Amino acid sequence: MPTLFLNDISVLKKVSVLCFILFTVSCENNLEYPLGKDPQYNIEILPIEGTLKLPVDSTTSNISSYLAYYHNRLNESAYLVSVNTFMNELQFFDLTTGQQSFSLPIEMNGNKGIDAVSAVDVINLDSIIVFPSQGNNIYIIDSSNQKFTNIDYQASLGYSNASPSMLFFSSNPYLEDQKLYVKTLFETNFRTISNTALSEIHLGYSVDLITGQVIDLPHFYPPDYFAEGMKHFDFSASITENGFVYSFFGDHDLYFSNNQDEKLRKVYGKSKYLDEDLPLFPADGDRLDRAMYLSIMDHYGNLIYDRYREVYYRFCYPSLEKSQINEMKEVLDNLQNPRQFSIQIFDRELNIVGETLFERNKKYLPKNAFVGKERLYISTKHSENEENEENEFSFDLFKMKKLD
């Protein structure tokens, strides 16, 4: 049974069910809203007919711990890459044929030992960046498993290794000019940290893939995140050619920077389905109270950029009535298989252009979603989906539609 205390991040990192991950942001104290002042709800997001089904073998879970999409613009081939933690391998699924094309077993020991793989970023089939779950190393391999480059780096004191994630609070790595921009974790007790100290914690850093040099990003927690009391500290990060955008568990707004040298700006981002006053962490509550805070009370989850349509999708979780879900088993199950959620749509300039609510959800699993050239894909592996098949990944495709 996972712990529900917001304490030492080194312990929380091991809790896969709750996926507690730190990634911090801040800006100047006189924050204003330079962007996103006037939300326009003129777009909705809807599933289209047909489901993408990808057969998997008996060693593969039909819910992936990490998914990466690779699109080869030269021949228009596309792969969905999944990290199989049980076999410690990368599985490449051809989205044209709907079959697994090949897999790359990752050695844990020896000259090419990488240890347990947690994430992957496919630049091309000759440059596949692999992130181990532990250690200050980043590895580059190729699809033939012949290439092996080990980049040794040292994060600043107190900050963890590079930590891309996708399940609950998504964060993607981003490569530009041989510098890899990544999320990091900070080891501290968040139940005792002050608001001022929190606002001085970095969100991430860059790693020079030639020299291994690490540069902390000038991006920090919002200066008022703990001002009224403690909130869950985790958040999502979208790092792309469009800039750096961060979304926190307990903050309506987004935080944006054009580049790695610029401080963050606050962008209006409130979901129309979440209350204005977001709940605080129940420090004096019991274990069930803390579980409910993380699972059934208003909060924000993954933030994903769609470079093909130049929009952002943010997954939001409106509160559920405690009378409807009040036992620990139900609360923890809702964390994994949410009964309701919404998807906000932001344009490239981070203006809200739409939001769609998914009520009485018994089909979709937001923690397994990815963007491809064709559409946004969301897993249909909700535990209450009666059409689930154990031996396959399955995703519905979604399109944006203008409202009349």
Side-chain angles (χ1 to χ4, degrees):
M1 191 72 71
T3 179
L4 294 168
F5 290 91
L6 294 181
N7 50 16
D8 192 337
I9 188 65
S10 64
V11 176
L12 295 181
K13 185 181 177 185
K14 299 176 183 178
V15 185
S16 59
V17 174
L18 300 184
C19 194
F20 291 148
I21 300 169
L22 167 67
F23 190 23
T24 36
V25 192
S26 166
C27 3
E28 296 175 327
N29 289 330
N30 58 343
L31 289 173
E32 297 180 353
Y33 291 118
L35 302 170
K37 293 180 180 180
D38 186 21
Q40 299 293 322
Y41 298 99
N42 51 23
I43 294 177
E44 63 179 343
I45 188 165
L46 300 171
I48 63 176
E49 186 176 353
T51 299
L52 172 66
K53 297 184 177 182
L54 303 171
V56 298
D57 60 29
S58 60
T59 70
T60 304
S61 169
N62 57 25
I63 300 171
S64 178
S65 65
Y66 196 91
L67 295 170
Y69 176 80
Y70 169 60
H71 172 214
N72 187 332
R73 297 177 185 274
L74 295 179
N75 60 16
E76 291 302 313
S77 61
Y79 293 93
L80 180 64
V81 186
S82 176
V83 175
N84 183 340
T85 55
F86 181 74
M87 298 298 293
N88 206 46
E89 68 180 10
L90 306 179
Q91 299 174 323
F92 286 72
F93 294 88
D94 189 322
L95 295 184
T96 300
T97 65
Q99 300 292 323
Q100 182 174 327
S101 180
F102 61 95
S103 63
L104 290 178
I106 304 300
E107 297 181 22
M108 298 187 69
N109 303 295
N111 294 334
K112 291 186 177 182
I114 292 180
D115 206 342
V117 176
S118 65
V120 62
D121 189 29
V122 182
I123 307 304
N124 54 58
L125 295 183
D126 292 324
S127 295
I128 301 169
I129 303 176
V130 179
F131 298 86
S133 59
Q134 299 180 18
N136 288 318
N137 298 87
I138 294 171
Y139 301 90
I140 303 177
I141 62 175
D142 64 5
S143 59
S144 66
N145 236 345
Q146 298 299 311
K147 180 178 182 179
F148 184 84
T149 303
N150 178 2
I151 297 97
D152 188 8
Y153 66 94
Q154 187 60 53
S156 297
L157 183 65
Y159 291 90
S160 77
N161 64 335
S163 303
S165 58
M166 73 155 291
L167 290 180
F168 294 97
F169 299 94
S170 58
S171 67
N172 61 285
Y174 178 65
L175 180 64
E176 183 177 71
D177 298 330
Q178 293 302 310
K179 290 187 178 180
L180 189 67
Y181 296 91
V182 292
K183 166 185 179 176
T184 187
L185 312 174
F186 189 73
E187 297 185 359
T188 189
N189 185 343
F190 285 89
R191 299 191 70 178
T192 61
I193 193 170
S194 69
N195 185 61
T196 300
L198 183 72
S199 68
E200 296 173 351
I201 296 176
H202 292 274
L203 318 148
Y205 49 73
S206 66
V207 179
D208 190 310
L209 296 187
I210 304 299
T211 67
Q213 180 186 19
V214 172
I215 299 177
D216 294 326
L217 297 175
H219 303 161
F220 308 88
Y221 269 103
D224 60 351
Y225 194 64
F226 275 14
E228 296 181 3
M230 191 193 324
K231 300 177 184 177
H232 185 42
F233 52 79
D234 218 334
F235 65 91
S236 301
S238 173
I239 309 173
T240 69
E241 64 275 10
N242 197 42
F244 298 74
V245 187
Y246 307 101
S247 170
F248 289 84
F249 176 95
D251 195 324
H252 293 300
D253 299 321
L254 298 177
Y255 295 83
F256 169 76
S257 172
N258 282 304
N259 57 61
Q260 67 275 13
D261 299 317
E262 182 181 89
K263 292 183 178 181
L264 294 173
R265 292 177 287 165
K266 183 163 65 172
V267 183
Y268 180 83
K270 183 185 178 301
S271 165
K272 63 182 180 179
Y273 298 108
L274 271 62
D275 290 342
E276 183 67 38
D277 295 325
L278 294 175
L280 299 176
F281 175 71
D284 297 327
D286 60 20
R287 193 168 181 273
L288 180 59
D289 291 330
R290 295 190 288 272
M292 286 183 169
Y293 169 77
L294 293 165
S295 175
I296 71 169
M297 295 186 181
D298 286 341
H299 65 277
Y300 293 94
N302 287 354
L303 176 71
I304 305 174
Y305 182 60
D306 182 341
R307 60 173 40 90
Y308 298 99
R309 283 150 287 276
E310 295 190 317
V311 297
Y312 293 87
Y313 308 111
R314 180 161 69 159
F315 291 83
C316 314
Y317 297 91
S319 63
L320 298 172
E321 292 292 335
K322 291 184 179 180
S323 59
Q324 297 176 359
I325 179 169
N326 52 27
E327 295 183 2
M328 182 63 77
K329 183 180 183 298
E330 290 182 311
V331 172
L332 293 180
D333 182 69
N334 185 74
L335 188 67
Q336 298 284 339
N337 303 277
R339 297 186 182 185
Q340 70 175 1
F341 66 95
S342 72
I343 301 177
Q344 286 181 296
I345 305 170
F346 296 81
D347 66 17
R348 191 174 186 275
E349 287 73 37
L350 294 175
N351 300 294
I352 297 174
V353 295
E355 183 170 8
T356 301
L357 179 66
F358 295 81
E359 292 184 281
R360 296 179 292 279
N361 174 49
K362 293 185 178 181
K363 185 175 185 180
Y364 296 116
L365 204 65
K367 68 179 183 179
N368 256 203
F370 70 95
V371 168
K373 181 183 177 182
E374 302 301 326
R375 294 285 187 270
L376 169 69
Y377 297 77
I378 303 178
S379 172
T380 63
K381 292 302 181 180
H382 192 287
S383 62
E384 295 188 40
N385 184 359
E386 296 179 354
E387 298 180 0
N388 274 343
E389 295 288 344
E390 289 297 322
N391 60 347
E392 66 183 18
F393 290 136
S394 61
F395 303 88
D396 274 1
L397 284 71
F398 287 77
K399 67 176 181 179
M400 291 185 293
K401 177 183 177 182
K402 288 188 177 181
L403 298 173
D404 296 332

